[in-house]
Amino acid sequence: MKLTVVGCSGSFPSAESTCSSYLLEADDFRLLLDMGNGALGELQRHCGLYDLDAIYLSHLHADHCIDMCAYFVARYYRHDGGRCAPIPVYGPEGTEHRLTTAYGDTPSASSMSEVFDFHTVKPGTFDIGPFTVHTEQVAHPVEAYGIRVEHGGRTLTYSGDTGVTPVLDELARDADLFLCEAAFTHGKEDIPDLHLNGREAGETAARAGARRLVLTHIPPWTDPQVNLTDARAAFDGPVELATPRVSYEI
């Protein structure tokens, strides 16, 4: 599997990065994990507008899904080659309604489903193209899912947005790469069931026995070096910060 960081900023885009979006590729299949603010523009550095095969949305906060509205425009109003066939979109219950409401002026109430084939995510195991995925609901104010992706004997775990939860420990169990949010700063923010800090991300990786930890979803107002230091103090394996346009072979 090849994972490319399209965007990794939390809450809103920074000067260096769009919001959460990650391109996962294997066997000529392209799965996009989240499409937050600004992600659609940056995505075009890595693949064509119409080269995605499926999209997974961890939850429906704008910094993880709002560029789906722009992607609707690209797919629905395409003239050269005609309108795109529906692409599978996996998201929490209400994804179609959320995107239709956010767009605000679709030609009809069902227009989103003319280019997006919506599938409701619930806890469980299923296939997306060549990937076997397992999703579990994590600790966040809205319905949100962490995802474990397996292919060719390798495993990627993506936390989505979450506070501390044993569910995430199991999703990341022995993962080859653990892409984990670290939005908060240890000793500064202490809000349960919302986000992790760097120390908690490192502790989760250690409990799970993950092989590599990549910290993501760090907002522009948070010092990423503090979170990196805190994560390294809690986890003995390799730890780094997610960086736009960097790819990982898993």
Side-chain angles (χ1 to χ4, degrees), residues 2 15 18 21 76 82 84 100 102-103 109 146 150 158 160 169 191 213 250:
K2 178 183 177 182
T18 67
S21 190
Y76 190 89
C84 297
T100 301
Y103 189 88
E150 298 178 354
Y158 170 45
D169 296 6
I191 306 171
L213 174 62
I250 304 171

Side-chain angles (χ1 to χ4, degrees), residues 33-34 56-59 92 121-124 126 133-140 142-149 156-162 165 167-172 178-179:
L33 306 175
D34 285 340
Y56 164 85
L57 302 176
S58 63
H59 65 292
V121 172
K122 294 293 182 184
F126 54 98
V133 307
H134 184 79
T135 53
E136 290 288 351
Q137 189 166 352
V138 290
H140 204 52
V142 300
E143 186 177 0
Y145 291 89
I147 186 171
R148 180 182 178 94
V149 185
L156 162 72
T157 297
Y158 170 45
S159 66
D161 281 10
T162 182
T165 171
V167 167
L168 188 58
D169 296 6
E170 292 308 311
L171 282 175
F178 180 24
L179 181 64

